[in-house]
Amino acid sequence: MKIAIPAEDKNIESNVSQTFGRTNYFIIYDMEAKQMETLDNSAIASQGGAGIKAAQLVLDNGVQVLIAPQCGQNAADVLAEGDIKIYASIEGTVKANIDAYTAGKLVIMNDIHAGYHGGK
Amino acid sequence: MKIAVLSGKGGTGKTLVSVNLAAAAGQAVYADCDVEEPNGELFFKSKKLKSEAVKIKIPQVDVNKCNGCRACVDFCKFNALAYIKNRVFVFEELCHSCGACMLLCTQQAITEREKNIGQIEYGQSNGVAVCTGIMNVGEASGVPIIKQLLAKINQYDNGDKFIDCPPGSACTAMESIKDADYCVLVAESTVFGLHNLKMIYKLVSFFSKKFGVILNKYDKTIDNPIEKFCQQKDIKILGRIPYDEKIAQINTAGLILVRTATEYEIMFKQLLQTITKEIKNETAIDS
Ligand code: SF4
Ligand code: SF4
């Protein structure tokens, strides 16, 4: 099973990025193989809909779990449709979050942001 | 003549100025292009004549024809499409109706359907034709509403047209001033006011529009950063609306200054004359 985590840097000791759609990188961690790979987030330059594009990227990489500090409504819709579970990240590194997830200490995210849709 | 009234942000007196200029003109058209928060009508309280829907085209995908090539998803600059479990999903509120996905699908799997994004209301208030663009909450862009609204007021033939633009300098503001003969920039007489003024100054300069500035909440006892700026850049100051409790009271009560107090009727008629003179002067120099 694969986990995706938005990360500030390209290594497992990097901090979790505070945004999902506009994170620099994603770290994809394979629980069984205990291997990680990094993805450049191609959504970062998007004018709008970055969350959807980032969610598409995660989906296309065969991920089943996303661990992130927050997630917008559109991205959450894409992920839900793709049967990807979203867990709320804890403060600290990507590694700390993977460990916490493995230990069953993370909780499912339930406050999804309505996001900015041009309104006030 | 089409006169667009702009400000760098909301609440600087843009609506106050455009509503009162239209009221001072007597016979005029007032077009509210601030489609996210149209509030000119709150003052005009016009007699409703009719309203019409504004529609845009949204793609819809036929799953049976789609072969999953994802060309549409990869192309859409607005990320309005996603491909999930062998199906294309359309995120309507992100779609800008560019039509590209439909054109590039080799399977003809994408067709268009109409979607309501807002409406335009038409009313009449003492000689002023009041036209209001209203966008539904959550829509991607007010531009289609503004386009339709401005095309409609072109057909009107009762006097000058006053366009109440969306605040700021985004694409909706650009759309609103596109055909204007003259732009009136409203700014509050503070340092922040100057910052906001510079934004719209850039916009109107970029489009080579003729323009002038109206200072709102003007206090002559205070050193005014905007006046200095206008002097430096050789920008015409059309008028100064004083900082005045009475204006605030009339405004909060939802009344139109020009129709409530003679001194303001005189003030806005003078402003109107100044603007008309500016437009004439500049056209004279141009030709
Ligand atoms: S371009 Fe046409 S065929 Fe290809 S994924 Fe999109 S809808 Fe399907
Ligand atoms: S019409 Fe344009 S903006 Fe809308 S989904 Fe298709 S490509 Fe994207």
Side-chain angles (χ1 to χ4, degrees):
Chain A
M1 194 194 69
K2 283 184 182 173
I3 305 175
I5 302 178
E8 287 174 2
D9 234 316
K10 281 182 158 182
N11 63 69
I12 204 152
E13 294 297 342
S14 139
N15 280 326
V16 176
S17 164
Q18 283 315 299
T19 86
F20 168 70
R22 295 187 192 277
T23 176
N24 289 331
Y25 309 103
F26 281 106
I27 288 182
I28 311 283
Y29 185 77
D30 187 322
M31 296 283 281
E32 284 80 38
K34 300 213 177 341
Q35 267 173 1
M36 66 158 252
E37 59 179 311
T38 55
L39 291 177
D40 288 347
N41 179 21
S42 49
I44 197 165
S46 303
Q47 275 192 10
I52 293 178
K53 194 163 185 192
Q56 178 84 61
L57 185 72
V58 166
L59 188 76
D60 292 345
N61 277 277
V63 164
Q64 281 98 38
V65 166
L66 171 74
I67 300 172
Q70 42 112 334
C71 179
Q73 185 63 58
N74 286 330
D77 287 349
V78 172
L79 297 167
E81 204 62 50
D83 291 333
I84 296 175
K85 288 202 178 62
I86 313 169
Y87 286 86
S89 61
I90 52 169
E91 236 169 87
T93 63
V94 169
K95 184 169 187 307
N97 274 276
I98 294 173
D99 291 345
Y101 175 78
T102 317
K105 283 187 188 151
L106 294 186
V107 290
I108 294 271
M109 187 189 298
N110 34 30
D111 61 329
I112 303 295
H113 290 245
Y116 180 76
H117 293 156
K120 283 273 139 97
Chain B
M1 218 88 72
K2 275 184 239 160
I3 298 153
V5 182
L6 299 103
S7 70
K9 72 170 188 61
T12 47
K14 170 179 63 67
T15 297
L16 176 95
V17 168
S18 40
V19 164
N20 279 282
L21 284 176
Q27 288 285 100
V29 179
Y30 166 83
D32 201 340
C33 288
D34 190 357
V35 296
E36 279 182 43
E37 234 172 309
N39 48 17
E41 172 55 25
L42 299 177
F43 297 91
F44 279 116
K45 302 178 178 68
S46 64
K47 187 166 154 273
K48 298 270 173 320
L49 298 176
K50 59 169 182 166
S51 84
E52 69 191 20
V54 180
K55 297 187 171 115
I56 56 163
K57 298 229 191 305
I58 294 284
Q60 56 182 359
V61 182
D62 183 340
V63 253
N64 298 318
K65 288 186 182 165
C66 172
N67 68 4
C69 74
R70 296 176 64 146
C72 56
V73 178
D74 293 338
F75 183 85
C76 180
K77 294 280 171 296
F78 303 101
N79 298 325
L81 302 174
Y83 192 79
I84 312 164
K85 289 203 224 153
N86 306 321
R87 257 191 70 195
V88 177
F89 281 73
V90 182
F91 286 83
E92 290 181 2
E93 69 276 28
L94 289 167
C95 174
H96 281 56
S97 302
C98 72
C101 53
M102 192 180 57
L103 286 176
L104 60 80
C105 174
T106 53
Q107 306 302 306
Q108 275 84 46
I110 305 179
T111 49
E112 287 179 327
R113 65 173 182 84
E114 286 193 325
K115 182 195 174 198
N116 265 350
I117 59 159
Q119 74 228 45
I120 300 171
E121 283 179 355
Y122 300 90
Q124 186 73 31
S125 165
N126 292 9
V128 179
V130 181
C131 311
T132 308
I134 306 164
M135 181 167 82
N136 295 344
V137 175
E139 287 305 331
S141 166
V143 170
I145 300 172
I146 294 167
K147 273 199 174 131
Q148 189 166 326
L149 173 56
L150 294 179
K152 280 289 156 67
I153 65 161
N154 266 339
Q155 300 163 3
Y156 278 69
D157 189 21
N158 58 326
D160 290 334
K161 292 158 181 144
F162 297 89
I163 303 166
D164 192 344
C165 302
S169 54
C171 48
T172 46
M174 284 181 215
E175 194 62 44
S176 309
I177 65 164
K178 226 182 203 167
D179 290 334
D181 300 298
Y182 194 80
C183 293
V184 173
L185 317 188
V186 184
E188 262 175 25
S189 318
T190 60
V191 178
F192 292 118
L194 177 61
H195 170 79
N196 293 325
L197 174 66
K198 282 180 180 166
M199 273 166 51
I200 42 172
Y201 165 73
K202 267 195 205 146
L203 179 74
V204 293
S205 311
F206 182 77
F207 283 96
S208 315
K209 291 287 173 188
K210 295 156 187 169
F211 68 95
V213 168
I214 290 182
L215 295 177
N216 191 22
K217 298 194 184 159
Y218 180 74
D219 182 348
K220 59 172 178 265
T221 61
I222 297 173
D223 207 20
N224 197 315
I226 296 190
E227 238 156 343
K228 261 188 224 135
F229 176 76
C230 290
Q231 222 167 33
Q232 277 167 15
K233 302 271 179 192
D234 202 16
I235 299 167
K236 170 83 180 173
I237 295 181
L238 302 161
R240 296 167 179 84
I241 302 172
Y243 185 81
D244 182 348
E245 276 297 319
K246 194 171 164 191
I247 293 185
Q249 274 165 14
I250 296 174
N251 209 38
T252 340
L255 297 171
I256 298 174
L257 297 174
V258 168
R259 293 181 185 170
T260 316
T262 327
E263 68 253 50
Y264 301 125
E265 189 186 344
I266 296 168
M267 181 173 83
F268 275 95
K269 284 203 163 137
Q270 264 167 7
L271 262 175
L272 205 54
Q273 267 174 12
T274 314
I275 294 170
T276 317
K277 227 166 87 194
E278 277 294 301
I279 299 174
K280 290 221 175 94
N281 270 346
E282 306 217 18
T283 8
I285 294 163
D286 279 358
S287 54

